[in-house]
Amino acid sequence: MKNIDNPFYTATSRRQALKNIGIIGSAAALSPLNLACLKEEKKLGIALVGLGNYATLMLAPALQKTQFCELKGIVTGTPEKAIKWQKEYNISPAHTYNYETFDKIKNDPAIDIIYIVLPNFMHEEYTIRALEAGKHVICEKPMAMNAAGCKNMIAAAKKAGKKLQVGYRLFYEPHHLEMKRWANEPFEGRIKLMETSLGFDMARPGLWRIDKKMGGGGALMDLGPYVIQAARRAAGQNPVSVLAQGFIDDPEIYKGIYGTYTWQLKFADNALCNSTASFSSYTDRYYVSKGYDYMELKPAFAANAKMSLQSRDESKSLPCNEYQQTTQMDAFARNIFDNTAVIASGEEGMIDMQVIDAIKKSIETGAEVKIDYA
Ligand code: NAD
């Protein structure tokens, strides 16, 4: 299977394949192909920008398990955090930056990839600055505050000749890939109905996620990308229109945004997906149905929970890495080594933002909105 379709493809499997055809250890030892293999032994250096919850609890531990990349640098505005991380992860002060010195990272050859883990309103600016520094970039979701921001980021990556990945860990997760495979298989008919939802209690004042300027739209921006892309993957196509609703259960908390967003995506073949993103209530659902069968993933979107896929006849759990982020980051490193297309690309991130822009417009106008993919 080609690397682009298989995030579990490894240098080891490539070396094995080369051994099988007698290249490694033969007179062809100095061929360009073999030199490329040797080059891959160097892990790519990653610098994390923004040492908050996700960087601390998920990305740094996941980077202790990666095969093709390693935690080499940090960017933080808090000197005490810098010292703590330097000690814990053996990071040199030479690869430690703050927001004033950030652009100097361009002179640091140890850093190949910059991973933006900042609040949403900073994603576009820091991604573009990182690309202008000549680095490959992973940017967390939501990719930007709107589709126009995504377009600027994609253009910056093209101009710099660097790769861009959105931190969509589930694009590489085995249960999600199996759901996609089942949903796109013609057996049992085509998909007509889906339900995708994610929500939990985030109703606390002062958090950037519920600040309109910093978060861009509460649960819709924070959790919307998961449920939109799950529907897109299962449908095997992009929705053509959306009708959306916003609800506020606590007016003291939600100012200019909604606590709960619901919407219905329509696809060209009349398939339908009902979705919710909420900061008021717990929900976690990925349900896809055909005429006589269904598949449901439980839990659906949580990071690193033990997942199981259920259908009418069976329930199964698949082997997977301890950290979904390990697979995601290693897949990106392989894209860089092999110069292959990124699966969770900027273009994928932009499609989700085009849908989110349409959801906002539908709530504003009360009408069904055709999604603009221009
Ligand atoms: P967080 O608030 O815990 O961390 C944000 C970090 O940014 C903090 O260290 C903060 O000090 C720093 N920061 C720098 N400048 C700032 C400013 N002007 N205002 C506020 N903070 C500033 O948030 P988090 O939960 O780590 O989320 C960070 C990003 O990661 C978000 O975009 C979020 O959507 C994304 N995320 C993704 C996943 C996933 O599963 N892919 C999970 C959680 C979070």
Side-chain angles (χ1 to χ4, degrees), residues 225-288:
Y226 294 105
V227 296
I228 291 166
Q229 66 190 234
R232 291 176 47 228
R233 279 200 303 272
Q237 55 187 311
N238 296 326
V240 291
S241 68
V242 63
L243 178 64
Q245 307 79 35
F247 301 92
I248 296 178
D249 61 288
D250 190 343
E252 288 307 307
I253 299 280
Y254 302 111
K255 310 272 188 207
I257 63 166
Y258 297 94
T260 296
Y261 296 79
T262 60
W263 62 89
Q264 301 79 48
L265 296 178
K266 262 196 214 158
F267 293 82
D269 59 359
N270 294 322
L272 174 74
C273 182
N274 244 317
S275 295
T276 301
S278 176
F279 272 170
S280 294
S281 294
Y282 180 79
T283 173
D284 183 18
R285 185 157 166 79
Y286 188 10
Y287 177 92
V288 176

Short mmCIF file of all heavy atoms in Angstrom, two decimals, residues 225-288:
data_model
loop_
_atom_site.label_atom_id
_atom_site.label_comp_id
_atom_site.label_asym_id
_atom_site.label_seq_id
_atom_site.Cartn_x
_atom_site.Cartn_y
_atom_site.Cartn_z
N PRO A 225 -15.14 21.32 13.92
CA PRO A 225 -14.33 20.64 12.91
C PRO A 225 -14.38 19.12 13.03
O PRO A 225 -14.41 18.42 12.01
CB PRO A 225 -12.91 21.16 13.18
CG PRO A 225 -13.13 22.52 13.76
CD PRO A 225 -14.38 22.39 14.60
N TYR A 226 -14.41 18.57 14.24
CA TYR A 226 -14.44 17.10 14.40
C TYR A 226 -15.71 16.52 13.77
O TYR A 226 -15.66 15.53 13.05
CB TYR A 226 -14.47 16.71 15.88
CG TYR A 226 -13.25 17.05 16.67
CD1 TYR A 226 -13.25 18.11 17.56
CD2 TYR A 226 -12.09 16.29 16.55
CE1 TYR A 226 -12.13 18.42 18.31
CE2 TYR A 226 -10.97 16.59 17.29
CZ TYR A 226 -10.99 17.66 18.17
OH TYR A 226 -9.88 17.96 18.89
N VAL A 227 -16.85 17.12 14.10
CA VAL A 227 -18.11 16.51 13.67
C VAL A 227 -18.38 16.76 12.19
O VAL A 227 -18.99 15.93 11.51
CB VAL A 227 -19.30 16.94 14.58
CG1 VAL A 227 -19.08 16.46 15.99
CG2 VAL A 227 -19.52 18.43 14.59
N ILE A 228 -17.88 17.88 11.68
CA ILE A 228 -18.05 18.16 10.24
C ILE A 228 -17.19 17.20 9.42
O ILE A 228 -17.65 16.59 8.47
CB ILE A 228 -17.67 19.64 9.94
CG1 ILE A 228 -18.70 20.58 10.56
CG2 ILE A 228 -17.56 19.87 8.42
CD1 ILE A 228 -18.26 22.03 10.62
N GLN A 229 -15.92 17.06 9.82
CA GLN A 229 -15.03 16.21 9.01
C GLN A 229 -15.42 14.74 9.12
O GLN A 229 -15.23 13.98 8.17
CB GLN A 229 -13.57 16.43 9.36
CG GLN A 229 -13.22 15.98 10.74
CD GLN A 229 -11.85 16.41 11.20
OE1 GLN A 229 -11.10 15.57 11.59
NE2 GLN A 229 -11.55 17.67 11.15
N ALA A 230 -15.98 14.33 10.25
CA ALA A 230 -16.44 12.93 10.38
C ALA A 230 -17.55 12.67 9.36
O ALA A 230 -17.56 11.63 8.68
CB ALA A 230 -16.93 12.67 11.79
N ALA A 231 -18.46 13.61 9.24
CA ALA A 231 -19.56 13.46 8.27
C ALA A 231 -19.00 13.45 6.84
O ALA A 231 -19.42 12.64 6.01
CB ALA A 231 -20.55 14.61 8.44
N ARG A 232 -18.05 14.32 6.57
CA ARG A 232 -17.47 14.39 5.22
C ARG A 232 -16.75 13.10 4.87
O ARG A 232 -16.83 12.60 3.75
CB ARG A 232 -16.49 15.57 5.14
CG ARG A 232 -17.15 16.95 5.21
CD ARG A 232 -16.10 18.05 5.23
NE ARG A 232 -15.10 17.84 4.23
CZ ARG A 232 -13.78 17.90 4.44
NH1 ARG A 232 -13.31 18.20 5.63
NH2 ARG A 232 -12.93 17.66 3.47
N ARG A 233 -16.02 12.54 5.84
CA ARG A 233 -15.27 11.31 5.56
C ARG A 233 -16.22 10.15 5.29
O ARG A 233 -16.02 9.36 4.39
CB ARG A 233 -14.34 10.95 6.73
CG ARG A 233 -13.03 11.71 6.73
CD ARG A 233 -12.00 10.99 7.59
NE ARG A 233 -12.43 10.78 8.96
CZ ARG A 233 -12.26 11.65 9.94
NH1 ARG A 233 -11.67 12.79 9.71
NH2 ARG A 233 -12.69 11.39 11.17
N ALA A 234 -17.27 10.05 6.13
CA ALA A 234 -18.22 8.93 5.96
C ALA A 234 -18.99 9.09 4.66
O ALA A 234 -19.22 8.11 3.95
CB ALA A 234 -19.17 8.87 7.15
N ALA A 235 -19.39 10.31 4.33
CA ALA A 235 -20.17 10.52 3.10
C ALA A 235 -19.29 10.37 1.86
O ALA A 235 -19.80 10.12 0.77
CB ALA A 235 -20.80 11.91 3.13
N GLY A 236 -17.98 10.56 2.04
CA GLY A 236 -17.08 10.48 0.89
C GLY A 236 -17.25 11.66 -0.06
O GLY A 236 -16.90 11.58 -1.24
N GLN A 237 -17.84 12.72 0.45
CA GLN A 237 -18.06 13.92 -0.36
C GLN A 237 -18.29 15.10 0.60
O GLN A 237 -18.46 14.90 1.80
CB GLN A 237 -19.28 13.74 -1.27
CG GLN A 237 -20.55 13.37 -0.48
CD GLN A 237 -21.73 13.02 -1.38
OE1 GLN A 237 -22.05 13.75 -2.29
NE2 GLN A 237 -22.38 11.90 -1.08
N ASN A 238 -18.33 16.30 0.04
CA ASN A 238 -18.56 17.48 0.86
C ASN A 238 -20.03 17.90 0.80
O ASN A 238 -20.66 17.78 -0.24
CB ASN A 238 -17.67 18.64 0.40
CG ASN A 238 -16.20 18.29 0.60
OD1 ASN A 238 -15.86 17.61 1.56
ND2 ASN A 238 -15.36 18.73 -0.31
N PRO A 239 -20.57 18.41 1.91
CA PRO A 239 -21.98 18.82 1.89
C PRO A 239 -22.21 20.01 0.97
O PRO A 239 -21.29 20.81 0.77
CB PRO A 239 -22.24 19.20 3.35
CG PRO A 239 -20.91 19.54 3.92
CD PRO A 239 -19.91 18.68 3.19
N VAL A 240 -23.42 20.11 0.44
CA VAL A 240 -23.70 21.23 -0.47
C VAL A 240 -24.39 22.39 0.25
O VAL A 240 -24.26 23.54 -0.15
CB VAL A 240 -24.56 20.80 -1.69
CG1 VAL A 240 -23.75 19.91 -2.61
CG2 VAL A 240 -25.83 20.08 -1.26
N SER A 241 -25.16 22.07 1.33
CA SER A 241 -25.85 23.16 2.02
C SER A 241 -26.03 22.82 3.49
O SER A 241 -25.88 21.66 3.91
CB SER A 241 -27.21 23.42 1.37
OG SER A 241 -28.06 22.32 1.62
N VAL A 242 -26.37 23.85 4.28
CA VAL A 242 -26.56 23.64 5.71
C VAL A 242 -27.68 24.55 6.23
O VAL A 242 -27.84 25.68 5.78
CB VAL A 242 -25.24 23.88 6.49
CG1 VAL A 242 -24.75 25.32 6.37
CG2 VAL A 242 -25.37 23.49 7.96
N LEU A 243 -28.44 23.99 7.18
CA LEU A 243 -29.43 24.78 7.93
C LEU A 243 -29.03 24.66 9.40
O LEU A 243 -28.89 23.54 9.91
CB LEU A 243 -30.85 24.23 7.70
CG LEU A 243 -31.95 24.94 8.48
CD1 LEU A 243 -32.10 26.40 8.06
CD2 LEU A 243 -33.30 24.22 8.28
N ALA A 244 -28.81 25.79 10.08
CA ALA A 244 -28.22 25.72 11.43
C ALA A 244 -29.03 26.53 12.44
O ALA A 244 -29.77 27.46 12.08
CB ALA A 244 -26.79 26.23 11.37
N GLN A 245 -28.88 26.15 13.71
CA GLN A 245 -29.55 26.84 14.80
C GLN A 245 -28.56 27.05 15.96
O GLN A 245 -27.69 26.21 16.19
CB GLN A 245 -30.73 26.00 15.35
CG GLN A 245 -31.75 25.54 14.31
CD GLN A 245 -31.29 24.32 13.50
OE1 GLN A 245 -30.61 23.44 14.01
NE2 GLN A 245 -31.68 24.28 12.24
N GLY A 246 -28.71 28.17 16.68
CA GLY A 246 -27.87 28.42 17.85
C GLY A 246 -28.74 28.63 19.08
O GLY A 246 -29.82 29.23 18.99
N PHE A 247 -28.29 28.10 20.22
CA PHE A 247 -29.08 28.20 21.46
C PHE A 247 -28.21 28.71 22.60
O PHE A 247 -27.06 28.29 22.74
CB PHE A 247 -29.65 26.82 21.84
CG PHE A 247 -30.52 26.23 20.78
CD1 PHE A 247 -29.99 25.37 19.82
CD2 PHE A 247 -31.88 26.54 20.71
CE1 PHE A 247 -30.78 24.83 18.82
CE2 PHE A 247 -32.68 26.01 19.71
CZ PHE A 247 -32.13 25.15 18.76
N ILE A 248 -28.79 29.59 23.41
CA ILE A 248 -28.07 30.09 24.59
C ILE A 248 -28.82 29.66 25.84
O ILE A 248 -29.97 30.04 26.03
CB ILE A 248 -27.96 31.63 24.56
CG1 ILE A 248 -27.11 32.05 23.35
CG2 ILE A 248 -27.36 32.16 25.85
CD1 ILE A 248 -26.97 33.55 23.19
N ASP A 249 -28.19 28.83 26.68
CA ASP A 249 -28.87 28.43 27.92
C ASP A 249 -28.43 29.28 29.10
O ASP A 249 -29.06 29.28 30.13
CB ASP A 249 -28.63 26.93 28.21
CG ASP A 249 -27.17 26.64 28.38
OD1 ASP A 249 -26.43 26.67 27.37
OD2 ASP A 249 -26.74 26.42 29.51
N ASP A 250 -27.30 30.01 28.94
CA ASP A 250 -26.82 30.86 30.03
C ASP A 250 -26.31 32.19 29.45
O ASP A 250 -25.14 32.31 29.07
CB ASP A 250 -25.69 30.13 30.78
CG ASP A 250 -25.31 30.86 32.05
OD1 ASP A 250 -25.67 32.05 32.18
OD2 ASP A 250 -24.67 30.23 32.92
N PRO A 251 -27.19 33.21 29.42
CA PRO A 251 -26.82 34.49 28.79
C PRO A 251 -25.68 35.20 29.50
O PRO A 251 -25.02 36.06 28.92
CB PRO A 251 -28.11 35.33 28.88
CG PRO A 251 -29.18 34.40 29.33
CD PRO A 251 -28.56 33.20 29.94
N GLU A 252 -25.43 34.87 30.77
CA GLU A 252 -24.31 35.49 31.49
C GLU A 252 -22.96 35.00 30.97
O GLU A 252 -21.95 35.67 31.07
CB GLU A 252 -24.40 35.17 33.00
CG GLU A 252 -25.53 35.89 33.72
CD GLU A 252 -25.47 37.41 33.48
OE1 GLU A 252 -24.41 38.00 33.73
OE2 GLU A 252 -26.48 37.96 33.01
N ILE A 253 -22.95 33.79 30.47
CA ILE A 253 -21.70 33.18 30.00
C ILE A 253 -21.46 33.48 28.52
O ILE A 253 -20.36 33.85 28.12
CB ILE A 253 -21.74 31.63 30.19
CG1 ILE A 253 -21.90 31.28 31.67
CG2 ILE A 253 -20.53 30.94 29.56
CD1 ILE A 253 -20.62 31.34 32.47
N TYR A 254 -22.46 33.25 27.70
CA TYR A 254 -22.28 33.33 26.25
C TYR A 254 -22.63 34.71 25.73
O TYR A 254 -23.79 35.11 25.70
CB TYR A 254 -23.13 32.25 25.56
CG TYR A 254 -22.79 30.86 26.03
CD1 TYR A 254 -23.69 30.12 26.79
CD2 TYR A 254 -21.56 30.30 25.74
CE1 TYR A 254 -23.36 28.85 27.24
CE2 TYR A 254 -21.22 29.03 26.18
CZ TYR A 254 -22.13 28.32 26.93
OH TYR A 254 -21.80 27.07 27.38
N LYS A 255 -21.61 35.46 25.33
CA LYS A 255 -21.80 36.83 24.81
C LYS A 255 -21.39 36.85 23.35
O LYS A 255 -20.19 36.71 23.04
CB LYS A 255 -20.92 37.82 25.58
CG LYS A 255 -21.03 37.73 27.09
CD LYS A 255 -22.14 38.60 27.62
CE LYS A 255 -22.09 38.64 29.14
NZ LYS A 255 -23.39 38.91 29.75
N GLY A 256 -22.36 37.01 22.48
CA GLY A 256 -22.06 37.08 21.04
C GLY A 256 -21.79 35.73 20.41
O GLY A 256 -21.45 35.65 19.23
N ILE A 257 -21.90 34.67 21.20
CA ILE A 257 -21.77 33.31 20.66
C ILE A 257 -22.91 32.47 21.29
O ILE A 257 -23.60 32.93 22.20
CB ILE A 257 -20.41 32.65 21.02
CG1 ILE A 257 -20.25 32.49 22.54
CG2 ILE A 257 -19.26 33.43 20.44
CD1 ILE A 257 -19.12 31.57 22.95
N TYR A 258 -23.06 31.25 20.81
CA TYR A 258 -24.08 30.36 21.37
C TYR A 258 -23.43 29.29 22.22
O TYR A 258 -22.25 28.97 22.04
CB TYR A 258 -24.89 29.71 20.24
CG TYR A 258 -25.66 30.73 19.43
CD1 TYR A 258 -25.11 31.26 18.26
CD2 TYR A 258 -26.90 31.20 19.85
CE1 TYR A 258 -25.79 32.22 17.53
CE2 TYR A 258 -27.59 32.16 19.13
CZ TYR A 258 -27.02 32.67 17.97
OH TYR A 258 -27.70 33.63 17.26
N GLY A 259 -24.20 28.75 23.17
CA GLY A 259 -23.69 27.65 24.00
C GLY A 259 -23.74 26.34 23.23
O GLY A 259 -22.84 25.51 23.28
N THR A 260 -24.85 26.17 22.50
CA THR A 260 -25.05 24.95 21.71
C THR A 260 -25.40 25.32 20.27
O THR A 260 -26.25 26.18 20.04
CB THR A 260 -26.18 24.10 22.32
OG1 THR A 260 -25.76 23.67 23.62
CG2 THR A 260 -26.49 22.88 21.46
N TYR A 261 -24.70 24.68 19.35
CA TYR A 261 -24.98 24.85 17.92
C TYR A 261 -25.48 23.52 17.38
O TYR A 261 -24.90 22.47 17.67
CB TYR A 261 -23.69 25.21 17.16
CG TYR A 261 -23.08 26.54 17.53
CD1 TYR A 261 -22.32 26.68 18.70
CD2 TYR A 261 -23.25 27.66 16.72
CE1 TYR A 261 -21.75 27.91 19.04
CE2 TYR A 261 -22.68 28.89 17.06
CZ TYR A 261 -21.93 29.00 18.22
OH TYR A 261 -21.37 30.20 18.56
N THR A 262 -26.57 23.58 16.61
CA THR A 262 -27.01 22.36 15.91
C THR A 262 -27.15 22.70 14.43
O THR A 262 -27.36 23.86 14.07
CB THR A 262 -28.37 21.84 16.43
OG1 THR A 262 -29.34 22.85 16.22
CG2 THR A 262 -28.32 21.48 17.89
N TRP A 263 -26.98 21.69 13.58
CA TRP A 263 -27.13 21.95 12.14
C TRP A 263 -27.40 20.66 11.40
O TRP A 263 -27.16 19.56 11.92
CB TRP A 263 -25.90 22.66 11.57
CG TRP A 263 -24.61 21.91 11.66
CD1 TRP A 263 -24.10 21.03 10.76
CD2 TRP A 263 -23.63 21.98 12.71
NE1 TRP A 263 -22.88 20.56 11.18
CE2 TRP A 263 -22.57 21.13 12.37
CE3 TRP A 263 -23.55 22.69 13.92
CZ2 TRP A 263 -21.44 20.94 13.19
CZ3 TRP A 263 -22.43 22.51 14.73
CH2 TRP A 263 -21.40 21.65 14.35
N GLN A 264 -27.93 20.82 10.22
CA GLN A 264 -28.18 19.69 9.33
C GLN A 264 -27.43 19.95 8.03
O GLN A 264 -27.65 20.97 7.38
CB GLN A 264 -29.69 19.55 9.03
CG GLN A 264 -30.54 19.33 10.27
CD GLN A 264 -30.82 20.63 11.03
OE1 GLN A 264 -31.19 21.62 10.43
NE2 GLN A 264 -30.62 20.63 12.34
N LEU A 265 -26.52 19.01 7.72
CA LEU A 265 -25.78 19.10 6.46
C LEU A 265 -26.51 18.29 5.41
O LEU A 265 -26.94 17.16 5.69
CB LEU A 265 -24.37 18.51 6.62
CG LEU A 265 -23.40 19.18 7.57
CD1 LEU A 265 -22.09 18.39 7.61
CD2 LEU A 265 -23.13 20.62 7.19
N LYS A 266 -26.64 18.84 4.21
CA LYS A 266 -27.24 18.09 3.09
C LYS A 266 -26.16 17.83 2.05
O LYS A 266 -25.37 18.72 1.73
CB LYS A 266 -28.34 18.92 2.44
CG LYS A 266 -29.72 18.55 2.90
CD LYS A 266 -30.72 19.13 1.93
CE LYS A 266 -31.98 19.55 2.65
NZ LYS A 266 -32.73 20.56 1.86
N PHE A 267 -26.17 16.61 1.50
CA PHE A 267 -25.20 16.23 0.47
C PHE A 267 -25.91 16.14 -0.88
O PHE A 267 -27.14 16.05 -0.93
CB PHE A 267 -24.54 14.90 0.85
CG PHE A 267 -23.68 15.03 2.10
CD1 PHE A 267 -24.25 14.97 3.36
CD2 PHE A 267 -22.32 15.25 1.99
CE1 PHE A 267 -23.46 15.12 4.51
CE2 PHE A 267 -21.54 15.40 3.13
CZ PHE A 267 -22.10 15.33 4.38
N ALA A 268 -25.12 16.15 -1.96
CA ALA A 268 -25.69 16.21 -3.31
C ALA A 268 -26.62 15.04 -3.60
O ALA A 268 -27.58 15.17 -4.35
CB ALA A 268 -24.56 16.27 -4.34
N ASP A 269 -26.34 13.87 -2.96
CA ASP A 269 -27.18 12.70 -3.22
C ASP A 269 -28.31 12.58 -2.19
O ASP A 269 -28.88 11.52 -1.99
CB ASP A 269 -26.32 11.42 -3.22
CG ASP A 269 -25.60 11.22 -1.88
OD1 ASP A 269 -25.77 12.09 -0.99
OD2 ASP A 269 -24.88 10.23 -1.73
N ASN A 270 -28.58 13.70 -1.49
CA ASN A 270 -29.64 13.79 -0.48
C ASN A 270 -29.34 13.08 0.82
O ASN A 270 -30.24 12.90 1.65
CB ASN A 270 -31.00 13.33 -1.03
CG ASN A 270 -31.49 14.26 -2.11
OD1 ASN A 270 -31.30 15.48 -1.99
ND2 ASN A 270 -32.08 13.72 -3.15
N ALA A 271 -28.10 12.63 1.03
CA ALA A 271 -27.71 12.13 2.36
C ALA A 271 -27.78 13.32 3.33
O ALA A 271 -27.62 14.47 2.94
CB ALA A 271 -26.29 11.57 2.33
N LEU A 272 -28.03 12.98 4.60
CA LEU A 272 -28.25 14.02 5.61
C LEU A 272 -27.40 13.73 6.83
O LEU A 272 -27.26 12.58 7.24
CB LEU A 272 -29.74 13.99 5.99
CG LEU A 272 -30.19 14.89 7.13
CD1 LEU A 272 -30.24 16.35 6.67
CD2 LEU A 272 -31.57 14.46 7.63
N CYS A 273 -26.84 14.77 7.43
CA CYS A 273 -26.15 14.59 8.72
C CYS A 273 -26.64 15.62 9.72
O CYS A 273 -26.61 16.82 9.47
CB CYS A 273 -24.63 14.74 8.56
SG CYS A 273 -23.79 14.45 10.13
N ASN A 274 -27.13 15.12 10.86
CA ASN A 274 -27.59 15.95 11.96
C ASN A 274 -26.44 16.11 12.95
O ASN A 274 -25.89 15.10 13.40
CB ASN A 274 -28.67 15.16 12.71
CG ASN A 274 -29.99 15.86 12.63
OD1 ASN A 274 -30.07 17.08 12.79
ND2 ASN A 274 -31.03 15.07 12.40
N SER A 275 -26.08 17.34 13.31
CA SER A 275 -24.90 17.52 14.16
C SER A 275 -25.13 18.52 15.29
O SER A 275 -25.97 19.43 15.18
CB SER A 275 -23.72 18.03 13.34
OG SER A 275 -23.32 17.06 12.41
N THR A 276 -24.35 18.34 16.36
CA THR A 276 -24.38 19.26 17.50
C THR A 276 -22.94 19.52 17.94
O THR A 276 -22.12 18.61 17.97
CB THR A 276 -25.13 18.64 18.70
OG1 THR A 276 -26.46 18.33 18.28
CG2 THR A 276 -25.18 19.58 19.89
N ALA A 277 -22.67 20.78 18.32
CA ALA A 277 -21.42 21.12 19.03
C ALA A 277 -21.85 21.97 20.22
O ALA A 277 -22.52 22.99 20.04
CB ALA A 277 -20.48 21.89 18.13
N SER A 278 -21.50 21.53 21.42
CA SER A 278 -22.04 22.20 22.61
C SER A 278 -20.98 22.42 23.68
O SER A 278 -20.14 21.55 23.91
CB SER A 278 -23.18 21.35 23.19
OG SER A 278 -23.65 21.94 24.38
N PHE A 279 -21.03 23.58 24.32
CA PHE A 279 -20.22 23.83 25.52
C PHE A 279 -21.09 23.75 26.76
O PHE A 279 -20.68 24.18 27.84
CB PHE A 279 -19.53 25.19 25.43
CG PHE A 279 -18.20 25.19 24.73
CD1 PHE A 279 -17.58 26.38 24.40
CD2 PHE A 279 -17.55 24.00 24.43
CE1 PHE A 279 -16.33 26.39 23.77
CE2 PHE A 279 -16.31 23.98 23.80
CZ PHE A 279 -15.70 25.19 23.47
N SER A 280 -22.32 23.23 26.61
CA SER A 280 -23.23 23.17 27.75
C SER A 280 -23.48 21.75 28.22
O SER A 280 -23.77 21.54 29.39
CB SER A 280 -24.58 23.79 27.38
OG SER A 280 -24.39 25.15 27.15
N SER A 281 -23.41 20.79 27.32
CA SER A 281 -23.78 19.42 27.68
C SER A 281 -22.85 18.41 27.04
O SER A 281 -22.33 18.64 25.95
CB SER A 281 -25.19 19.11 27.17
OG SER A 281 -26.11 19.91 27.84
N TYR A 282 -22.71 17.28 27.71
CA TYR A 282 -21.88 16.21 27.19
C TYR A 282 -22.59 15.47 26.06
O TYR A 282 -23.74 15.04 26.21
CB TYR A 282 -21.52 15.20 28.29
CG TYR A 282 -20.64 14.08 27.76
CD1 TYR A 282 -19.28 14.28 27.58
CD2 TYR A 282 -21.19 12.86 27.39
CE1 TYR A 282 -18.48 13.28 27.05
CE2 TYR A 282 -20.39 11.85 26.87
CZ TYR A 282 -19.04 12.07 26.70
OH TYR A 282 -18.26 11.09 26.16
N THR A 283 -21.93 15.35 24.95
CA THR A 283 -22.41 14.47 23.87
C THR A 283 -21.19 14.06 23.05
O THR A 283 -20.24 14.82 22.94
CB THR A 283 -23.49 15.15 22.97
OG1 THR A 283 -23.77 14.29 21.87
CG2 THR A 283 -23.05 16.50 22.45
N ASP A 284 -21.20 12.85 22.54
CA ASP A 284 -20.03 12.33 21.80
C ASP A 284 -20.55 11.21 20.92
O ASP A 284 -20.66 10.08 21.35
CB ASP A 284 -19.00 11.82 22.81
CG ASP A 284 -17.71 11.34 22.14
OD1 ASP A 284 -17.48 11.71 20.98
OD2 ASP A 284 -16.95 10.61 22.78
N ARG A 285 -20.92 11.54 19.68
CA ARG A 285 -21.64 10.56 18.86
C ARG A 285 -21.18 10.61 17.41
O ARG A 285 -21.10 11.68 16.81
CB ARG A 285 -23.13 10.88 18.96
CG ARG A 285 -24.05 9.90 18.27
CD ARG A 285 -25.43 10.00 18.90
NE ARG A 285 -26.48 9.36 18.13
CZ ARG A 285 -26.70 8.05 18.12
NH1 ARG A 285 -25.96 7.25 18.82
NH2 ARG A 285 -27.70 7.56 17.41
N TYR A 286 -20.90 9.42 16.87
CA TYR A 286 -20.56 9.28 15.44
C TYR A 286 -21.31 8.06 14.95
O TYR A 286 -20.89 6.92 15.19
CB TYR A 286 -19.04 9.12 15.30
CG TYR A 286 -18.50 9.14 13.88
CD1 TYR A 286 -19.28 9.49 12.78
CD2 TYR A 286 -17.16 8.84 13.65
CE1 TYR A 286 -18.75 9.53 11.50
CE2 TYR A 286 -16.62 8.87 12.36
CZ TYR A 286 -17.42 9.21 11.29
OH TYR A 286 -16.90 9.24 10.02
N TYR A 287 -22.44 8.31 14.33
CA TYR A 287 -23.37 7.24 13.94
C TYR A 287 -23.65 7.37 12.45
O TYR A 287 -24.05 8.44 11.97
CB TYR A 287 -24.67 7.39 14.74
CG TYR A 287 -25.74 6.40 14.39
CD1 TYR A 287 -25.87 5.20 15.08
CD2 TYR A 287 -26.66 6.68 13.37
CE1 TYR A 287 -26.86 4.29 14.76
CE2 TYR A 287 -27.66 5.77 13.05
CZ TYR A 287 -27.75 4.57 13.74
OH TYR A 287 -28.73 3.67 13.42
N VAL A 288 -23.42 6.29 11.73
CA VAL A 288 -23.61 6.30 10.27
C VAL A 288 -24.52 5.14 9.91
O VAL A 288 -24.27 4.01 10.33
CB VAL A 288 -22.25 6.15 9.55
CG1 VAL A 288 -22.43 6.06 8.05
CG2 VAL A 288 -21.33 7.32 9.90
#
